[in-house]
Amino acid sequence: HQQGRLRLAWDGSWMPFDAVEHFSTQVPGYTWSADVSVLPLLALYGRDQYLDGRGGLRVQALGWLPLSNASGPTVDQGSQLRYLAEMAWFPSAALGRDVQWAAAPGDSAVATLQDHGRSVSATFHFGPQGELLSVDALRYLDRPEGATLEPWHVALDPASQRDFNGLRIPARSQVTWRLKKGDFHWLEMELTELREDPA
């Protein structure tokens, strides 16, 4: 379970959200369902997913009115990268057979996730005690003129380390697109509950 806020443009208003995300650690996959408050009487429902090697993002207003439905190769790549970065919350998946690790300069390592014939890589940066500080990757950003590969930065707050079912992991994160015209800081999220469903 998560809560946080997001915005869709530099000058856009921050919109609070509550979300539930389900992960599969045996086979890479997730579904993220969020209720986003736009106005006091208007809410959006968003569903982001990565299943069977395919990503998808659907947004609806009032629970039924479709606003967007994104899919395709660039969405697949972005969703697969999201899964790789969010392994910070279920670190046992980082030792899966589909994930390879390579040393990088400083206290960093590059993780590569192979799934359904596609590979994505991200650089994980660690602190002096081995705590995960941030994740960087090149991820497709959808634009009206077409998707482009852009630097994508996930910052994890080391001060938010909490114990969830015996795992000590960062609860708070921020996501930023590092674009040529400047950083677009667009999402802040806090993990409020984490539990393992029996297999």
Side-chain angles (χ1 to χ4, degrees), residues 25-97:
T25 58
Q26 299 299 317
V27 176
Y30 70 82
T31 59
W32 184 77
S33 302
D35 291 310
V36 183
S37 298
V38 181
L39 296 170
L41 297 178
L42 176 61
L44 298 180
Y45 169 79
R47 183 178 179 89
D48 187 12
Q49 66 182 32
Y50 180 72
L51 299 172
D52 297 323
R54 295 290 178 263
L57 176 61
R58 185 173 73 249
V59 179
Q60 296 173 322
L62 306 174
W64 61 271
L65 180 64
L67 297 180
S68 68
N69 190 7
S71 62
T74 59
V75 177
D76 298 342
Q77 187 260 11
S79 299
Q80 189 175 346
L81 267 176
R82 174 176 175 170
Y83 178 87
L84 181 62
E86 290 183 344
M87 286 192 309
W89 294 329
F90 45 99
S92 61
L95 302 177
R97 63 183 181 181

Side-chain angles (χ1 to χ4, degrees), residues 6 9 19 21 25 28 47 49-50 67 91 102 111 113 120 124 126 128 151 155 158 177 199:
L6 59 84
E21 190 164 12
T25 58
R47 183 178 179 89
Q49 66 182 32
Y50 180 72
L67 297 180
L113 172 62
V120 297
F124 288 66
F126 300 92
W177 289 103

Side-chain angles (χ1 to χ4, degrees), residues 97-172:
R97 63 183 181 181
D98 297 324
V99 182
Q100 289 80 43
W101 290 88
D107 295 326
S108 302
V110 176
T112 299
L113 172 62
Q114 298 180 351
D115 187 44
H116 283 79
R118 181 181 53 252
S119 296
V120 297
S121 297
T123 302
F124 288 66
H125 305 279
F126 300 92
Q129 304 301 318
E131 68 275 24
L132 181 59
L133 300 179
S134 63
V135 181
D136 287 288
L138 288 176
R139 180 176 175 175
Y140 278 105
L141 172 62
D142 283 329
R143 304 169 181 267
E145 63 273 19
T148 57
L149 274 175
E150 304 292 347
W152 180 68
H153 178 74
V154 181
L156 298 138
D157 181 4
S160 70
Q161 294 273 339
R162 288 176 51 194
D163 289 319
F164 292 93
N165 303 323
L167 290 175
R168 189 159 182 81
I169 56 178
R172 292 194 298 270

Side-chain angles (χ1 to χ4, degrees), residues 2-8 13-19 32 34-40 42-46 186-189:
Q2 306 152 353
Q3 61 184 15
R5 61 179 191 164
L6 59 84
R7 58 181 178 175
L8 303 179
S13 299
W14 285 99
M15 299 178 290
F17 69 83
D18 290 288
W32 184 77
D35 291 310
V36 183
S37 298
V38 181
L39 296 170
L42 176 61
L44 298 180
Y45 169 79
W186 73 277
L187 185 142
E188 299 175 353
M189 179 186 295

Side-chain angles (χ1 to χ4, degrees), residues 177-193:
W177 289 103
R178 291 184 162 169
L179 307 176
K180 291 181 180 179
K181 65 177 183 178
D183 288 353
F184 175 34
H185 172 60
W186 73 277
L187 185 142
E188 299 175 353
M189 179 186 295
E190 181 172 4
L191 186 66
T192 58
E193 181 183 357

